Every structure is written in C-alpha cells, then in structure tokens.
Amino acid sequence: MPEKILDYLVIGAGPAGLQMGHFLHRAGRSYRILEATPAPGAFFRTFPRHRTLISINKKYTGWDDPELNLRMDWNSLLSDDPRLLFTHYSDRYFPDADDMVRYLEDFAATQEPNITYDARVAEVARPDVDGPFRVTDERGRTFTARRVIVATGVTQPNVPPIPGIETAEQYGAVSVDPADFTNKRVLIIGKANSAFETADNLIETAAVIHVAGPHSVKLAWKTHFVGHLRAYNNNFLDTYQLKLQNAVLDGDIRRIERRADGSYLVTVAFVRADEVTKDIPYDRVIVCTGFRFDSSIFAPECRPELAIKDRFPALTPAYESVNVPDLHFAGTITQSRDFKRGTSGFIHGFRYGVRALHRALEARYHGVEWPGRDLSGDPGALAAAVLERVNRSSALWQQFGVLADVIVPDGRGGARYLEEVPLDLQGPPVGDQGHFAVTLEYGPGHDQVDPFDISVGRITQSDAERAHEGHYLHPVVRRFRNGVVEAVHHVTENLENDWTSEQVHLNPLRDFFQHHSLPVSV
C-alpha cells in the first residue's frame, strides 16, 4: 500500500501550530501536527518563569463587536467558536501562565485526532528536491508531506559569546525562590522583560542587583514595541534611580570568572565611560538574553537560511523559507519580518500572520481566492471602504505596518478589496497592474517622542494637511505601481482611533483616490 502523503505537516502544538491546525481543519486539508511533548503549549508550562503573562487580557471594553474586542485581547487564537476566547479563562489584566496552558489544552481538543504527541522531530529531510518532505521523529516514525509548516517557537537559549558564560545560570533553569538569593550580590545579563522580571523578583532579598547589557533600556510605552521593557516589570528602575544599591549597567560583559568559592568576578566595559573596564564581584550571575530558533533538525538539503544573527529563519513575505520551497514558518519564529518593531513575536500578532500564511497556501495550492469584496471604482466608495475597515479591523491594528488591505483593479472598471495581505507580497493576489495598500502605522520618529512631555508640539486632530507628521497609530494609504510607491496619503491621527469625520478623514482620502486612480482595464 503506498505511503500516505499529507498536504501539510505542522511541527509544534503551541499557539501557532494549533492556530494553523484550526485553519487547515476548517478548510478540509489533510494535515498532522507533531508535538514533542505529551501535551500542547509546552513553552507556557515553563515560561515566563515567574508565571505572570504580560500579554493583555482586557475583558471589558464597552464594545459588543468581537472584531474590535480582539484589539484588546492579546491571548485568544482566531476561531469561529466564541467559547474559545481567552477572556473566558481569566479576569486578570495580566493573567497567569497556567491559564494559558488550560486555554491551549481546550483549543487543542478541537483538533485532537490530528495531533500526535510525544513525537519530537529528529530530522526534516527532502530526498528529492521536487518531492515531498520526510519527517522522522525520535521514535523512528516517518511522516510524509508536500509542505512543512514549522511552528516550534524559539526553543534554544540565545547565549552571547562571553568567555566563562557557561558557568553562569540560565533564565530557564535558575531558582525563582527569592530566599535563595538572600543578602547576595546578583548580576543579571540582559535588558528585556525576562531580565527585569527576574530582578523584580529579587528586590526584597538580594543585597545588590545589577542588570547589564551593551544597549540602552528601551521602554515599551515609548517605542510601541511590546517586547521592550514593559511597565509591569520596571519597578526595578525605581530602586536604581532612587539609590537603593541596585543599578543598570550600560556596557559589555567581557569575561565571567567562576572562582574557587563559587562566587564570580565579572569584567564589565562601560559604554558611557569610553570602554573603561572594571572587575566586579558577584555571588550569582543569571543569563536572561532571550531565545533562538533551533535549526538542527533540518537535513543539509533543506536547511533554511537564518537571519538576525542566526536567531530566526529568513522568510519571504509569504512566510516561506527564502531558500527551501514549500518550507513555511508560523508563530514567534516569523519575527524576522518585523524584528523589534512589530508584533509577529507574540500571539496577538502572529495569529494574523498564520491566517495570512493559510490564505496564501489556499490561493497557491488549492485555487481559493483571497478573501475580499468587489467595489466600484468610485473614489468616494473606495474611501468609505477603507475607513470602514480601519475603524474595525483587529488584524491591521495588531500587525501594524506588516499586513495591509489591498485594493486592486478588477479589469471591469471596478476594484477588488482584499483583506490582510502581507504588505510586501508580490504576485497573486496583488498582481502587477498597480494597487493601493492600506495599513495602520505609527509615524516616523514615534519612538523618539516622550508622550508625556507637554512642551512637544502636536498636530491637531483636525489638521488633515499635517497628517503625515503624526507620531501615533493612524491609517496610511499607498499607491503602488510596478512595485514602487508612487504616492502616500496619511489619515489624521485620532485620540480614540475613530476615523469617521467627513471633512477631516473621508474627503481628503476621496481626493487622494481621485488623483491617483487605478487603471480602468487590465
């Protein structure tokens, strides 16, 4: 009997793998999800170490519209089942990680027959460059599929090349009991949320805590990147600035020496003091420098190229490996597309990236049109359609500057309005006859502005002529021709993100469409 060849093999039953499974299941495709552990959501069974998520769970919004509510719900996966909303699992604004585990277990139950647990992948191979993939797990079982979607997340510590760092403790294994650090001098390497989460946990017991790294601390409320230091984790900054023995060290760790008594001597080169170095003693050293993608499972003939210092796979706009056709990626490992500026590294971002990937696969391999609707070519109708979407869409809101609604000519004098297309996607469904792309974006220099400084000049929300100067989230419409941006229109930013004014929002956008119309025929 010939071996069954699946349409899709998904590696990983975390949020991204389950999200992709949901879409494949609903579309009736043959697929299987391989999960290395006995249950879904393995990452959240360990991380974050101190068990409080920093993804927002805003249960009460004042809205009845489920699409709008997803703007404030950073944990739910996309589903047609209203029972599978994370807001039913916790009332906490910052929920417990164990609530996410319960949620993923229930979501996985909807796809249970298509998930194989305890199936840690040992090798992804492609013996024939034009043939199917052969995926073998550690128990020797082999699965064959035309396409592989890797949704494993970032499973390996991202350890910087510092001499002696192997003697330090890793974020994923260090004790989280503050009593173990009583009256100790502690160095934490890293300046993002895991580092400050760890530091905050030790404030009451440690004698001295230093948080160190070569770059400045970046605050999420200023940069609008949720992976930068969140307010929930920044209590430690008070203890530094109010001279309570703790400090943030701006410098490179040059060397870590583990001494005979178990203590450490760490050499720090300070950035603010022209690389002046100092040897500082510590009792404990903890490495909190993030994670990276593990590419060791790939055979040489289908090993994907990597990006961002080899931390993530290098991807096309269709979430496909740049060098291995039919090898796709989903979830937090797609953040090379918007590294440290967007939301592809987080559930509230990548759930839409997974949907875009699924739509791209459906269009390429199964002849399913990209979701959209027909419009007349009338500039007023186009402007009204854009404002209707930007006032409601959660995908454009969460995947700002990454996903776009696209307006393409239909060849009959009208237009086709396509939803949530990767902004830089080429070819179908965008085509090559010119198109409009609609995004929500922050303005240039938005991360350099102090939003609490009232001395900084601000444009008024009624000044459509200066809309391009806006720093905060607002709609941007671009006219593309032959892959080149020909014209750009900014819709004025609005405090409540309510772009409904005929005079300020609709009429200027209608005029833009009038002056930069699509071709009448294709």
Side-chain angles (χ1 to χ4, degrees):
M1 184 174 180
E3 181 180 12
K4 180 180 180 181
I5 301 177
L6 298 165
D7 288 333
Y8 300 95
L9 189 71
V10 181
I11 303 176
L18 295 176
Q19 183 69 89
M20 177 54 72
H22 168 78
F23 292 131
L24 293 172
H25 190 83
R26 189 174 61 176
R29 307 303 170 201
S30 62
Y31 76 98
R32 178 147 297 278
I33 300 173
L34 302 183
E35 169 54 38
T37 68
F43 180 88
F44 290 99
R45 295 175 189 275
T46 302
F47 301 106
R49 293 299 311 287
H50 302 90
R51 309 310 291 151
T52 299
L53 300 178
I54 53 174
S55 47
I56 302 304
N57 180 50
K58 195 168 189 296
K59 189 168 185 173
Y60 304 106
T61 64
W63 298 322
D64 295 325
D65 187 339
E67 179 70 12
L68 279 175
N69 284 335
L70 280 172
R71 290 183 171 188
M72 305 301 149
D73 174 355
W74 290 13
N75 297 285
S76 292
L77 298 178
L78 302 177
S79 168
D80 297 327
D81 188 343
R83 296 171 298 179
L84 290 175
L85 288 171
F86 186 84
T87 49
H88 298 323
Y89 288 74
S90 175
D91 294 332
R92 299 281 302 279
Y93 188 73
F94 293 116
D96 191 281
D98 291 333
D99 294 326
M100 175 59 73
V101 171
R102 289 192 301 111
Y103 173 71
L104 294 176
E105 288 175 342
D106 286 353
F107 202 97
T110 67
Q111 304 167 56
E112 193 78 38
N114 297 85
I115 304 175
T116 300
Y117 293 106
D118 291 315
R120 185 176 299 277
V121 171
E123 183 183 58
V124 178
R126 198 177 201 180
D128 181 347
V129 67
D130 296 318
F133 292 89
R134 293 180 65 84
V135 179
T136 306
D137 72 4
E138 291 184 344
R139 297 167 62 181
R141 294 174 294 185
T142 298
F143 305 84
T144 306
R146 296 178 181 87
R147 293 149 216 117
V148 168
I149 301 169
V150 182
T152 54
V154 282
T155 57
Q156 298 297 310
N158 179 49
V159 182
I162 300 170
I165 198 166
E166 70 280 359
T167 66
E169 300 174 90
Q170 289 289 330
Y171 169 71
V174 69
S175 170
V176 294
D177 184 353
D180 291 341
F181 298 82
T182 300
N183 209 32
K184 303 293 185 182
R185 292 176 56 86
V186 182
L187 172 65
I188 299 172
I189 302 174
K191 283 187 174 177
N193 285 291
S194 62
F196 283 92
E197 165 202 331
T198 302
D200 278 354
N201 186 52
L202 304 181
I203 285 174
E204 293 181 349
T205 57
V208 172
I209 307 169
H210 290 170
V211 174
H215 305 295
S216 301
V217 172
K218 294 186 177 181
L219 302 170
W221 56 259
K222 184 175 182 180
T223 66
H224 304 112
F225 172 61
V226 300
H228 284 149
L229 180 57
R230 302 287 296 284
Y232 185 87
N233 286 326
N234 74 10
N235 288 332
F236 178 83
L237 297 180
D238 270 12
T239 73
Y240 169 36
Q241 290 298 306
L242 299 179
K243 299 183 284 294
L244 296 170
Q245 294 187 275
N246 300 329
V248 175
L249 308 184
D250 298 319
D252 285 302
I253 307 299
R254 293 289 177 83
R255 185 171 61 94
I256 301 171
E257 178 188 346
R258 184 76 181 271
R259 299 193 284 195
D261 63 357
S263 66
Y264 294 86
L265 192 65
V266 178
T267 302
V268 182
F270 291 93
V271 172
R272 299 193 191 196
D274 298 324
E275 299 293 317
V276 169
T277 62
K278 183 177 181 180
D279 292 335
I280 306 175
Y282 297 101
D283 299 300
R284 307 282 289 267
V285 177
I286 307 171
V287 182
C288 299
T289 49
F291 301 89
R292 63 169 57 244
F293 170 63
D294 181 8
S295 62
S296 65
I297 62 173
F298 295 94
E301 74 273 6
C302 61
R303 181 162 293 148
E305 289 184 14
L306 302 179
I308 320 291
K309 297 182 178 180
D310 291 343
R311 290 182 63 185
F312 306 101
L315 305 178
T316 71
Y319 305 97
E320 186 174 23
S321 169
V322 297
N323 67 304
V324 183
D326 301 317
L327 178 61
H328 295 265
F329 295 86
T332 190
I333 52 178
T334 65
Q335 61 185 285
S336 60
R337 305 283 302 139
D338 57 356
F339 186 61
K340 290 193 175 181
R341 61 180 176 84
T343 60
S344 292
F346 312 91
I347 290 176
H348 66 291
F350 69 62
R351 61 191 179 194
Y352 303 102
V354 173
R355 184 160 68 185
L357 167 58
H358 178 253
R359 288 172 173 174
L361 296 172
E362 286 288 292
R364 183 190 299 185
Y365 298 113
H366 306 291
V368 179
E369 282 193 359
W370 200 283
R373 56 194 170 109
D374 293 322
L375 294 173
S376 76
D378 176 70
L382 297 181
V386 168
L387 294 184
E388 177 186 353
R389 277 285 293 166
V390 297
N391 278 300
R392 184 169 182 262
S393 168
S394 62
L396 300 186
W397 176 274
Q398 304 289 24
Q399 283 275 50
F400 49 88
V402 175
L403 295 182
D405 282 2
V406 173
I407 302 172
V408 297
D410 65 3
R412 303 184 302 275
R416 182 79 176 159
Y417 192 105
L418 307 174
E419 297 180 358
E420 303 167 26
V421 180
L423 177 60
D424 47 358
L425 188 69
Q426 302 293 316
V430 176
D432 57 3
Q433 298 299 314
H435 66 278
F436 293 104
V438 181
T439 57
L440 285 171
E441 298 179 27
Y442 291 96
H446 67 91
D447 55 347
Q448 304 301 314
V449 177
D450 183 349
F452 305 115
D453 185 353
I454 62 173
S455 68
V456 177
R458 293 284 305 278
I459 66 169
T460 66
Q461 295 182 29
S462 60
D463 191 350
E465 295 296 322
R466 297 179 59 198
H468 62 284
E469 299 178 25
H471 292 297
Y472 302 105
L473 200 68
H474 63 279
V476 181
V477 183
R478 292 178 174 84
R479 173 67 161 93
F480 284 85
R481 189 188 301 271
N482 298 322
V484 177
V485 177
E486 186 179 73
V488 182
H489 176 78
H490 293 255
V491 179
T492 308
E493 64 186 40
N494 182 274
L495 175 63
E496 295 189 324
N497 307 296
D498 182 24
W499 296 284
T500 55
S501 168
E502 181 175 353
Q503 180 178 354
V504 177
H505 304 133
L506 180 64
N507 291 344
L509 181 55
R510 180 199 60 204
D511 293 344
F512 175 77
F513 283 123
Q514 179 73 52
H515 291 128
H516 302 282
S517 59
L518 291 168
V520 174
S521 61
V522 179

